[in-house]
Amino acid sequence: MTKQQKAEVIDFLSAEFKGSQAVVVCGYNGVSHKELESLRKDAKENGVKVQVAKNSLVTVAVKNAELGDVELSGNNIFLWSEDQISACKVADKFASANKDKFEIKSGIIEGEIADLNTVMAFAKLPSREELLGMLASVWMGPVRNFTIGLDALRIKKEEEAA
């Protein structure tokens, strides 16, 4: 890689990391190309971006994005998203399916360095869509109960009239 290409990668990653709420660092020793493609496909469907880059370039990009100092070693793949949960969920799902080859190492969540336990805790949280569905269900509860009561009252009145 030329210095120009390295600078472009650092600039790209710095901009991406600044705009993201979560960056997950994963080790991928032994993962085949086909398996990585399935990870990329799942990530794309969930609004998560995936990049394999040199650790030294990522370290500089993280510093440029003012996210702290991160220590990286080995072969790493980086997943990031605009929300805190998506990247963690995609990494956790793929790690569960490929236990012996893929591992979550650490992450950066909301600008703070996060350990494995924090990343896993975020992966277990419901997604934004699931939370909105739960909220809508709670809001619809009183209306649903009211309509059930009205229908029961209607049936009772019809039976009394007959």
Side-chain angles (χ1 to χ4, degrees):
M1 267 185 136
T2 66
K3 285 186 178 184
Q4 176 67 27
Q5 291 171 324
K6 289 179 183 179
E8 289 172 3
V9 169
I10 290 170
D11 291 341
F12 170 74
L13 290 175
S14 295
E16 289 290 322
F17 291 167
K18 268 188 184 177
S20 68
Q21 291 290 315
V23 178
V24 180
V25 181
C26 302
Y28 70 103
N29 284 337
V31 177
S32 70
H33 178 72
K34 188 175 183 178
E35 291 168 330
L36 277 180
E37 286 304 313
S38 71
L39 171 65
R40 290 179 192 277
K41 181 182 176 200
D42 189 31
K44 187 175 182 179
E45 290 171 358
N46 289 292
V48 176
K49 297 179 182 177
V50 179
Q51 179 78 35
V52 174
K54 288 186 173 184
N55 291 337
S56 58
L57 299 180
V58 173
T59 303
V60 172
V62 167
K63 284 181 184 176
N64 289 350
E66 300 172 1
L67 297 174
D69 292 329
V70 65
E71 294 182 25
L72 302 171
S73 62
N75 293 333
N76 294 316
I77 189 166
F78 305 90
L79 292 84
W80 67 92
S81 63
E82 292 179 5
D83 66 272
Q84 302 90 342
I85 299 172
S86 297
C88 298
K89 278 190 176 289
V90 169
D92 181 50
K93 181 180 174 186
F94 192 76
S96 296
N98 299 285
K99 290 182 193 267
D100 55 337
K101 302 182 236 176
F102 190 85
E103 66 172 327
I104 299 172
K105 293 183 174 180
S106 65
I108 303 170
I109 299 175
E110 293 182 349
E112 300 290 325
I113 304 296
D115 62 353
L116 173 64
N117 293 331
T118 306
V119 173
M120 297 305 289
F122 272 88
K124 305 247 183 296
L125 291 173
S127 68
R128 182 176 187 274
E129 290 75 24
E130 291 169 334
L131 287 173
L132 288 174
M134 289 178 201
L135 182 61
S137 177
V138 168
W139 281 348
M140 294 303 295
V143 173
R144 185 174 37 248
N145 292 338
F146 180 71
T147 56
I148 290 170
L150 278 179
D151 190 44
L153 182 63
R154 178 190 58 85
I155 292 170
K156 182 180 176 185
K157 292 290 184 180
E158 287 176 354
E159 288 174 355
E160 288 175 357

